[in-house]
Amino acid sequence: MARDPFVVHVARLRRAPGTSAHEVRRGPVALAGPLDERGIDPGRSVVPLGAEAECDVTLRAFEGGIAAVGTVRAPWVGICRRCAVGVSGELRIAVHERFGDAPIAEDELYPITDDTIDLGPLVRDAIVLDLPMAPLCREDCRGLCPQCGTDRNEARCDCVAPPDPRWANLDVLR
Ligand SMILES: [Zn+2]
Ligand SMILES: [Zn+2]
């Protein structure tokens, strides 16, 4: 089995609380669901298939655990919520988490197992929370015409907005 790039041995660190080590780890994050022909998940933003995330952290040993402080970076792709073109960007997420011997549910610690920590779940959790839910291709994207589908960033159409029902009676009087 290939070595997991996010697994870090911390036995030496743990023997000396107060010491720290800098780790930069890069690896793929399996987060993408079913993708369309552009490699985009039309329902949500994702880290592109095969792309790598980077975890740049300082690990500091304390009594009973390891603190990880640093930055997670990953590219993302999605679609504009108004006009549906592909959009992309890079996440830069500040992380400050702890690893310890206690189960994660009790103390919000990530586990230390056999003197190793796995930065993978930390990286994935940070990315999932930070992926843009409804990105825009640009702040002033004009979107698609609801009637003919023309991309209003690129062309005009002659569609007339449907009459406002509040004025219907006035039209009859005229
Ligand atoms: Zn757009
Ligand atoms: Zn139109």
Side-chain angles (χ1 to χ4, degrees):
M1 203 179 88
R3 208 171 123 263
D4 186 325
F6 290 119
V7 170
V8 182
H9 291 269
V10 293
R12 204 184 327 162
L13 258 187
R14 296 194 81 193
R15 279 200 296 272
T19 58
S20 60
H22 182 220
E23 293 285 346
V24 181
R25 300 296 180 101
R26 260 178 225 97
V29 281
L31 279 172
L35 305 180
D36 69 13
E37 65 284 353
R38 293 173 296 180
I40 292 173
D41 180 335
R44 62 195 177 126
S45 303
V46 294
V47 174
L49 214 57
E52 294 198 332
E54 181 186 278
C55 182
D56 181 329
V57 287
T58 296
L59 302 176
R60 180 165 284 109
F62 61 89
E63 285 297 341
I66 299 280
V69 180
T71 309
V72 168
R73 287 206 251 195
W76 64 271
V77 292
I79 62 169
C80 174
R81 69 171 184 261
R82 290 189 197 144
C83 73
V85 302
V87 284
S88 60
E90 193 197 42
L91 304 174
R92 263 187 79 98
I93 313 157
V95 291
H96 188 163
E97 301 292 342
R98 289 181 307 149
F99 291 80
D101 297 314
I104 185 164
E106 278 181 26
D107 201 10
E108 292 187 9
L109 292 174
Y110 290 95
I112 298 177
T113 309
D114 297 334
D115 275 333
T116 63
I117 63 173
D118 184 358
L119 295 169
L122 178 159
V123 168
R124 282 190 287 277
D125 290 350
I127 290 172
V128 165
L129 288 173
D130 213 59
L131 282 169
M133 300 273 284
L136 286 172
C137 61
R138 56 186 215 217
E139 273 311 310
D140 61 348
C141 172
R142 293 150 86 176
L144 305 179
C145 170
Q147 284 150 82
C148 73
T150 294
D151 184 340
R152 292 191 288 208
N153 297 307
E154 285 174 359
R156 291 176 60 109
C157 59
D158 295 320
C159 296
V160 179
D164 188 322
R166 285 174 297 174
W167 299 107
N169 289 339
L170 284 179
D171 283 344
V172 170
L173 288 175
R174 247 179 244 140

PDB file of all heavy atoms in Angstrom, residues 80 83 85 137 141 153, ligand 1:
ATOM      1  N   CYS A  80     -21.287  29.033 -11.591  1.00  0.00           N
ATOM      2  CA  CYS A  80     -21.896  30.292 -11.173  1.00  0.00           C
ATOM      3  C   CYS A  80     -23.379  30.071 -10.899  1.00  0.00           C
ATOM      4  O   CYS A  80     -24.082  29.468 -11.710  1.00  0.00           O
ATOM      5  CB  CYS A  80     -21.708  31.342 -12.265  1.00  0.00           C
ATOM      6  SG  CYS A  80     -22.591  32.881 -11.915  1.00  0.00           S
ATOM      7  N   CYS A  83     -25.378  32.226 -13.874  1.00  0.00           N
ATOM      8  CA  CYS A  83     -25.283  31.974 -15.315  1.00  0.00           C
ATOM      9  C   CYS A  83     -24.753  30.580 -15.637  1.00  0.00           C
ATOM     10  O   CYS A  83     -24.693  30.209 -16.799  1.00  0.00           O
ATOM     11  CB  CYS A  83     -24.419  33.035 -15.986  1.00  0.00           C
ATOM     12  SG  CYS A  83     -22.662  32.850 -15.642  1.00  0.00           S
ATOM     13  N   VAL A  85     -21.814  29.240 -15.748  1.00  0.00           N
ATOM     14  CA  VAL A  85     -20.476  28.968 -16.302  1.00  0.00           C
ATOM     15  C   VAL A  85     -19.604  28.374 -15.198  1.00  0.00           C
ATOM     16  O   VAL A  85     -19.874  28.541 -14.012  1.00  0.00           O
ATOM     17  CB  VAL A  85     -19.777  30.232 -16.880  1.00  0.00           C
ATOM     18  CG1 VAL A  85     -20.594  30.872 -17.968  1.00  0.00           C
ATOM     19  CG2 VAL A  85     -19.419  31.213 -15.780  1.00  0.00           C
ATOM     20  N   CYS A 137     -19.543  33.923 -10.909  1.00  0.00           N
ATOM     21  CA  CYS A 137     -18.399  34.076 -11.814  1.00  0.00           C
ATOM     22  C   CYS A 137     -17.795  35.458 -11.621  1.00  0.00           C
ATOM     23  O   CYS A 137     -16.600  35.655 -11.794  1.00  0.00           O
ATOM     24  CB  CYS A 137     -18.804  33.845 -13.261  1.00  0.00           C
ATOM     25  SG  CYS A 137     -20.041  34.983 -13.885  1.00  0.00           S
ATOM     26  N   CYS A 141     -22.461  39.484 -12.060  1.00  0.00           N
ATOM     27  CA  CYS A 141     -22.978  38.576 -13.091  1.00  0.00           C
ATOM     28  C   CYS A 141     -24.457  38.849 -13.317  1.00  0.00           C
ATOM     29  O   CYS A 141     -25.241  38.931 -12.375  1.00  0.00           O
ATOM     30  CB  CYS A 141     -22.791  37.120 -12.667  1.00  0.00           C
ATOM     31  SG  CYS A 141     -23.618  35.965 -13.778  1.00  0.00           S
ATOM     32  N   ASN A 153     -24.710  38.313 -19.802  1.00  0.00           N
ATOM     33  CA  ASN A 153     -23.382  38.917 -19.749  1.00  0.00           C
ATOM     34  C   ASN A 153     -22.827  39.111 -21.155  1.00  0.00           C
ATOM     35  O   ASN A 153     -21.926  39.904 -21.372  1.00  0.00           O
ATOM     36  CB  ASN A 153     -22.415  38.023 -18.969  1.00  0.00           C
ATOM     37  CG  ASN A 153     -22.842  37.855 -17.527  1.00  0.00           C
ATOM     38  OD1 ASN A 153     -23.067  38.837 -16.824  1.00  0.00           O
ATOM     39  ND2 ASN A 153     -22.980  36.613 -17.083  1.00  0.00           N
TER      40      ASN A 153
HETATM   41 ZN    ZN B   1     -22.185  34.136 -13.765  1.00  0.00          ZN
END
